[in-house]
Amino acid sequence: MTYMDRKQFLERFVFSVAEDFKSRSGEPASWAKGHPKTWGDEDAVIETPDVPERKPFEYSTLNLAVSDDKRLLAVSKRNMIFVYDVETRQLKSELKGHETNVRTLAFQPQRHSNQVVPSNTKNPENTNASNTDDTYLLMSAGSHASGADPILIIWELLPTGHLVPNDLDEAPNIASLASLAVESLLPTLRTTSPDLTPQDLVSIASSLQSPFHSAISSTLTAHTLHKHQSVLPGASLPSFTPIPSLFHPTRPHSLYLTHNKTTQSGPRPPAQLPQVHIYNPSSTSTPITPLQTLSGHTDYITWAGFSPLTGRYLATVSWDGSAYIFDLEDSSPETGHSFSTGVIENPRTGAGGQAWCAAFSADEKYVAVSAAMGRVVVVYDLASQKAVATFPHDAEKGYEKEIKVRNWVRNMAWSPVEPSDEKTGKRQTLLLGTGVEAYLWDPFAPANTITTTTSSSSSSAPSDSSPPSSSPPSPPPPQIPQHYSLSLPLPIMRTFASFLSVSHDAVSVPVSKNVNEDTLDNHRPQPAAHRSPSLELITLLCGDGTFECWNPERNVKWRFQRPKGEVMEWANGGVEVLRGGKLVSLDGDGRVRFWGLGVGGGGVEE
């Protein structure tokens, strides 16, 4: 078969695993009790409202965002946004402001809460708002449309999920305003067209009611948007950056991009090349002005994000083949950045090519960059500014078989760091998503020597053949990384089935004292001293909407599967973790589903 569209793929594809994750002893992962599950087996569901049909050739996606305190949930469908209360699952707000499809949706973390008192509050002097009075900021980035610039909107929401009210005590009655507008035209019509009968005038008035209603509604929406939300015309968010990386971990700062279009069709003046801007979304200035502007790339920026521990570093990745690492506390005054990787080359072919994404380690010591057309991943030590590991290796460098990266590595996630890791010698691993395959790679295994070369655009990014001295000593593990792959009936399905996202999280799920076959099938009970207060969870979201979770420690997996034949839209960032280890997914059929991992005697402790 030489051609397949998405509808044909969804009608024929059934999620199936060719090579599963395994335990250290090589045993394939076992199922958690009650799995695999399919749509319809969820604990609860939200039926999101219908929206107008998309225009011909319009790229349409669904997006999910959850506030970090897990109280509010937002869903975008085409150009509409719906806000829900997580506990009650009730719809609280419908946000209108985008003319094009919403591409990215993100809540600013509540640690940077605005604590703004609405202007119509009875006691405006009470500025010592408690946490329950904090406002939420929701960012929505519109996609590029033909001939239109992107737009970033910052919505201010109350803890109830409603928009912060305007200065009017009551919203105007739009229907009454429309009727008044129509009635004002009737005397003129009677004078200029005396042949019109009363029935004609009634018919004309009726036909005008709807257009006037729409026009007044749009005008009031635009007024409210201008007055109570911040709009950044021409601003966009990077396509492959996980939401947490968009926000500074200790300051109320975020980032956005401007001029972020490819230069592959022709060069542009330096002032029109892609730029990264750091700003405060809570700023009350109009318009919002950036605190800092970072530049250097000559093509489309695919990834930009803050380091997760202190926010000292900011990395940017571009189709120009390079990555820039900015030390925001001590950047070079000459270049503005701490160091550049230069154009990263494939060690086997010597070719460069587009760079796609990056990921900071949880301890903020390393950054990984996917480059050379997404076929090579290089890990850099941030302190020494040197490359310390590369993936994949040549066969003679230690792997038992050659690893070929067939697709772009466009999703990466480091393992979480636990306080006990240093004592136990547990090393950080890096989860790589490439097409319908995923690798769990140990960059700091003793055999992992650097083989990547770089085209030096900066003298501060040389290669190094030794792992960083700060890596804890440990015996070498098996040289083949953990490998996971899907089974495809037809190779052409690879394009549609490729993983949309990968994540590696520590999920707070208290496990009861008696973990047995009633909670995790085929799981041997562990002594209390060996139990972790959190569950290490790897999640892979397939292009068909199915997602699978795996816990490496217990070698147990959960699957939440799209039924065969269910036709759906793209759902970006469609899985989020809630309190107590519960999951929420936005699926391509437009439904929000709530799932339980089922860990713990009789359920999950809240």
Side-chain angles (χ1 to χ4, degrees):
M1 189 172 186
T2 59
Y3 172 80
M4 175 178 286
D5 59 25
R6 180 166 168 78
K7 183 174 183 294
Q8 292 171 324
F9 162 74
L10 292 170
E11 289 172 345
R12 300 181 62 173
F13 178 76
V14 178
F15 186 94
S16 177
V17 175
E19 185 171 356
D20 211 343
F21 284 124
K22 301 177 181 65
S23 66
R24 291 181 179 271
S25 60
E27 297 178 1
S30 58
W31 289 113
K33 185 176 179 62
H35 283 262
K37 291 186 176 182
T38 59
W39 296 358
D41 296 333
E42 63 274 358
D43 298 337
V45 66
I46 292 175
E47 301 276 354
T48 58
D50 292 330
V51 296
E53 291 295 324
R54 62 182 176 181
K55 300 175 183 177
F57 308 109
E58 180 185 27
Y59 178 71
S60 180
T61 61
L62 305 169
N63 296 276
L64 174 69
V66 177
S67 62
D68 66 340
D69 63 1
K70 313 303 181 185
R71 294 175 63 183
L72 297 181
L73 178 152
V75 172
S76 71
K77 298 178 70 173
R78 302 194 182 100
N79 65 338
M80 290 288 297
I81 301 172
F82 305 97
V83 180
Y84 294 86
D85 181 283
V86 169
E87 183 176 358
T88 65
R89 302 189 294 279
Q90 292 182 344
L91 177 63
K92 296 298 183 180
S93 295
E94 295 186 13
L95 309 182
K96 302 177 182 179
H98 287 278
E99 295 182 2
T100 61
N101 188 49
V102 175
R103 187 68 178 268
T104 307
L105 201 60
F107 278 98
Q108 184 187 35
Q110 279 301 96
R111 60 177 176 267
H112 305 316
S113 178
N114 215 8
Q115 294 195 352
V116 172
V117 178
S119 56
N120 65 344
T121 301
K122 292 183 178 179
N123 184 10
E125 280 74 29
N126 180 19
T127 57
N128 298 317
S130 65
N131 186 58
T132 57
D133 294 325
D134 294 347
T135 57
Y136 293 74
L137 295 183
L138 176 66
M139 285 74 155
S140 59
S143 60
H144 289 271
S146 178
D149 288 329
I151 185 174
L152 177 64
I153 300 177
I154 305 170
W155 311 85
E156 189 177 359
L157 301 172
L158 295 171
T160 59
H162 298 97
L163 275 172
V164 171
N166 57 26
D167 294 332
L168 299 174
D169 292 331
E170 295 182 3
N173 189 317
I174 298 176
S176 298
L177 291 175
S179 298
L180 290 173
V182 172
E183 290 173 4
S184 68
L185 295 176
L186 295 182
T188 303
L189 285 174
R190 292 190 186 98
T191 302
T192 58
S193 303
D195 295 336
L196 291 174
T197 66
Q199 290 78 9
D200 293 333
L201 292 173
V202 170
S203 178
I204 292 173
S206 177
S207 65
L208 290 175
Q209 182 75 19
S210 179
F212 271 97
H213 189 285
S214 298
I216 294 171
S217 177
S218 298
T219 301
L220 289 174
T221 298
H223 168 76
T224 302
L225 182 63
H226 172 75
K227 189 173 183 63
H228 301 288
Q229 282 72 48
S230 299
V231 181
L232 283 72
S236 62
L237 297 176
S239 301
F240 296 98
T241 303
I243 297 303
S245 297
L246 294 175
F247 300 97
H248 194 287
T250 63
R251 300 172 185 168
H253 297 163
S254 186
L255 62 85
Y256 65 89
L257 311 177
T258 56
H259 308 297
N260 198 34
K261 295 182 180 180
T262 182
T263 56
Q264 295 177 8
S265 59
R268 297 199 300 268
Q272 297 179 20
L273 291 175
Q275 294 180 324
V276 180
H277 306 276
I278 300 173
Y279 76 115
N280 184 352
S282 304
S283 173
T284 56
S285 63
T286 305
I288 291 179
T289 55
L291 303 171
Q292 189 173 1
T293 296
L294 309 173
S295 58
H297 287 297
T298 58
D299 205 342
Y300 181 78
I301 295 175
T302 54
W303 196 100
F306 294 97
S307 56
L309 193 62
T310 67
R312 174 176 177 175
Y313 300 99
L314 186 144
T316 60
V317 179
S318 167
W319 277 355
D320 63 17
S322 69
Y324 282 83
I325 314 299
F326 297 87
D327 185 334
L328 300 179
E329 295 182 4
D330 188 26
S331 293
S332 165
E334 290 81 16
T335 63
H337 57 270
S338 178
F339 71 96
S340 169
T341 63
V343 177
I344 300 173
E345 296 177 352
N346 190 317
R348 295 175 178 172
T349 65
Q354 297 171 338
W356 280 95
C357 66
F360 285 102
S361 62
D363 60 5
E364 211 170 87
K365 293 180 179 179
Y366 308 100
V367 63
V369 179
S370 167
M373 300 303 293
R375 263 65 172 186
V376 172
V377 176
V378 183
V379 175
Y380 293 88
D381 182 294
L382 290 170
S384 68
Q385 303 180 3
K386 295 180 179 180
V388 295
T390 186
F391 178 89
H393 288 282
D394 289 329
E396 64 268 24
K397 292 296 182 180
Y399 289 140
E400 297 175 9
K401 64 179 181 180
E402 185 178 16
I403 294 176
K404 293 183 178 179
V405 180
R406 299 177 178 84
N407 289 83
W408 301 302
V409 176
R410 298 199 290 193
N411 300 285
M412 298 191 292
W414 286 88
S415 58
V417 173
E418 297 289 346
S420 60
D421 289 352
E422 187 173 352
K423 293 182 179 179
T424 62
K426 181 181 178 181
R427 293 188 297 266
Q428 295 181 77
T429 56
L430 186 61
L431 178 64
L432 311 173
T434 167
V436 295
E437 297 177 282
Y439 291 92
L440 187 60
W441 175 44
D442 180 355
F444 308 122
N448 286 355
T449 55
I450 188 76
T451 59
T452 295
T453 60
T454 61
S455 296
S456 178
S457 66
S458 169
S459 60
S460 58
S463 343
D464 186 0
S465 61
S466 60
S469 58
S470 58
S471 297
S474 178
Q479 293 306 306
I480 299 178
Q482 280 272 8
H483 182 226
Y484 179 99
S485 64
L486 301 183
S487 175
L488 299 177
L490 297 171
I492 198 172
M493 290 182 170
R494 179 181 300 272
T495 300
F496 300 105
S498 294
F499 293 123
L500 299 177
S501 65
V502 302
S503 62
H504 197 163
D505 302 300
V507 181
S508 297
V509 182
V511 181
S512 65
K513 294 181 180 180
N514 298 315
V515 181
N516 52 39
E517 66 276 2
D518 291 332
T519 55
L520 297 178
D521 291 352
N522 304 316
H523 169 243
R524 183 174 298 172
Q526 297 290 324
H530 295 166
R531 295 196 195 103
S532 170
S534 60
L535 186 76
E536 189 176 342
L537 200 68
I538 286 175
T539 303
L540 308 174
L541 174 61
C542 175
D544 83 318
T546 298
F547 67 98
E548 191 157 288
C549 303
W550 176 60
N551 171 242
E553 182 185 16
R554 299 180 175 89
N555 197 30
V556 174
K557 65 179 181 179
W558 298 257
R559 181 183 297 173
F560 309 89
Q561 187 163 346
R562 176 194 67 94
K564 180 182 178 181
E566 185 77 25
V567 177
M568 45 164 268
E569 297 188 43
W570 293 101
N572 294 336
V575 183
E576 294 282 347
V577 177
L578 300 178
R579 288 174 176 167
K582 297 178 182 178
L583 304 177
V584 60
S585 63
L586 171 61
D587 299 316
D589 59 357
R591 293 179 173 89
V592 178
R593 292 182 168 88
F594 296 82
W595 310 88
L597 290 175
V599 180
V604 178
E605 296 178 23
E606 295 291 340

